[in-house]
Amino acid sequence: MPTTTYTVTGMTCGHCVGSVQAEIGKIDGVTGVDVDLASGAVRVDSTAPIAEADVVAAVDEAGYEVAV
């Protein structure tokens, strides 16, 4: 089961965390999303590799950015 970690900027509260988790969780194949608010680290577990562009789009939809 692949796990990929991203850094998301702009999150400031629990609602932010929930929004990011919900949007990434909608991606086909994602089995889990763990967000650390303090560091901005977002761990995505999936059944197969997920395209980074899909994660970036989901984070954007939630109103935040993936750090490059």
Side-chain angles (χ1 to χ4, degrees):
M1 176 156 62
T3 299
T4 308
T5 303
Y6 302 89
T7 300
V8 174
T9 60
M11 298 184 298
T12 59
C13 65
H15 180 270
C16 301
V17 169
S19 295
V20 169
Q21 286 176 321
E23 289 300 326
I24 294 175
K26 293 177 184 177
I27 299 170
D28 285 339
V30 170
T31 58
V33 181
D34 182 49
V35 179
D36 180 62
L37 178 60
S39 68
V42 177
R43 190 186 77 225
V44 180
D45 299 321
S46 56
T47 56
I50 301 295
E52 183 174 337
D54 291 345
V55 175
V56 169
V59 170
D60 183 62
E61 182 67 27
Y64 307 97
E65 291 185 14
V66 172
V68 179

